[in-house]
Amino acid sequence: LAESEGYGRLGDKTDDYKPLTSDDIEKLAEAGFKPHQHASHGMIFFRKQNKLWDIYEQKGFAMMQMRFDGTLGFPGGLMDEGETPLQCLNRELREEIGFDPTKHAFSDNEHIASYLHEGKNLVLHFYVKEVSAEEYFALETNTLHAHEYGIETLGIIRVPLFTMGDGLRGFPAFLTNNFAGNARSQLITGLVAAKLFTQEDMTKAIEAYKGFMK
Ligand code: GTP
Ligand code: MN
Ligand code: MN
Ligand code: MN
Ligand code: MN
Ligand code: MN
């Protein structure tokens, strides 16, 4: 699925990112990869089957941000010396969205995938976390008080998880934005892994998005 959507105009091509196995990840340090050549990002979501305006099947909400560089991405960032990818994620989330890791820390079993961009020598780790609607609202409200709000983070947004009658507006139209790194691909992968989308629904959405980008 994710392989077939390399249409970003500003973000990197999905094809430039090679998925890594857990064996590959273990060998990265031997291969000379330094902490700052890793980054971790996370998708927080809640699930709620809902009829929006009594018309559209809405699946819930996922959190993304408008970044300082004008692209959309997930909260997260580059690894510091002495950190694991997971520690990096929890620290970056504190900085960027005011997340309290003592209350809601991501855990290793929420790791979904890691990718290598060979040209940039950058390894991207991706995590997905389900929270309750109430937790989500509390996290979202708190983002305005994060250290990086107004600096690295210019706004927290909810991804529309429904498609309108023309088959494009809603989630497929959201995919036409510019994304950082392979965040579009991560979004697609994360929503299917979270079972917010079936493979079929996602394939349809990607086709609508690609049709629009032609
Ligand atoms: P500084 O603290 O200013 O260094 O930024 P940061 O540590 O928050 O790093 P950032 O979030 O910008 O992530 C580092 C790199 O990862 C970026 O230059 C992008 O190439 C890539 N990136 C940023 N956001 C995302 C994202 O949501 N998904 C993916 N896959 N890559 C991203
Ligand atoms: Mn209105
Ligand atoms: Mn950051
Ligand atoms: Mn960041
Ligand atoms: Mn950082
Ligand atoms: Mn920073």
Side-chain angles (χ1 to χ4, degrees):
L1 270 178
E3 267 62 45
S4 62
E5 52 76 51
Y7 277 71
R9 287 172 292 188
L10 191 60
D12 300 329
K13 290 211 183 70
T14 300
D15 296 348
D16 294 340
Y17 289 89
K18 186 173 137 247
L20 297 173
T21 65
S22 42
D23 273 5
D24 295 336
I25 296 170
E26 276 174 31
K27 289 185 198 122
L28 287 168
E30 286 168 40
F33 275 82
K34 299 282 182 271
H36 67 270
Q37 291 177 291
H38 291 256
S40 302
H41 294 91
M43 181 178 94
I44 296 169
F45 75 93
F46 72 92
R47 193 185 305 278
K48 187 169 185 271
Q49 286 290 339
N50 180 46
K51 271 238 158 142
L52 180 61
W53 305 308
D54 282 330
I55 308 175
Y56 305 115
E57 295 292 343
Q58 188 172 33
K59 303 163 192 291
F61 277 109
M63 189 183 289
M64 291 192 81
Q65 61 176 336
M66 174 53 71
R67 292 162 43 87
F68 61 92
D69 62 4
T71 66
L72 297 173
F74 294 100
L78 296 167
M79 211 154 104
D80 284 347
E81 204 70 49
E83 281 181 332
T84 63
L86 182 67
Q87 288 168 341
C88 161
L89 178 67
N90 285 314
R91 174 187 50 75
E92 284 285 345
L93 264 59
R94 178 158 42 76
E95 295 172 3
E96 295 189 1
I97 65 168
F99 181 89
D100 181 352
T102 65
K103 285 193 196 146
H104 333 262
F106 271 79
S107 64
D108 275 317
N109 60 25
E110 291 165 325
H111 174 254
I112 288 286
S114 296
Y115 311 85
L116 170 65
H117 190 298
E118 281 171 325
K120 292 184 175 173
N121 274 322
L122 184 65
V123 181
L124 296 173
H125 304 280
F126 185 53
Y127 296 75
V128 171
K129 184 180 194 63
E130 179 167 5
V131 297
S132 68
E134 292 67 29
E135 264 185 289
Y136 189 102
F137 302 148
L139 287 168
E140 188 180 58
T141 302
N142 206 40
T143 61
L144 293 177
H145 305 290
H147 288 295
E148 291 293 348
Y149 187 81
I151 308 168
E152 289 181 25
T153 299
L154 301 186
I156 294 296
I157 58 166
R158 297 189 189 186
V159 179
L161 301 182
F162 59 91
T163 302
M164 295 174 71
D166 60 2
L168 178 65
R169 286 179 302 152
F171 180 71
F174 184 83
L175 293 177
T176 70
N177 281 296
N178 284 307
F179 292 82
N182 70 337
R184 183 193 290 108
S185 171
Q186 289 175 327
L187 175 63
I188 290 168
T189 303
L191 293 173
V192 173
K195 297 201 159 63
L196 282 168
F197 276 75
T198 63
Q199 298 267 353
E200 278 159 293
D201 282 355
M202 188 55 83
T203 301
K204 244 193 242 170
I206 293 171
E207 278 168 6
Y209 142 67
K210 283 167 84 175
F212 177 81
M213 297 297 273
K214 271 201 190 118

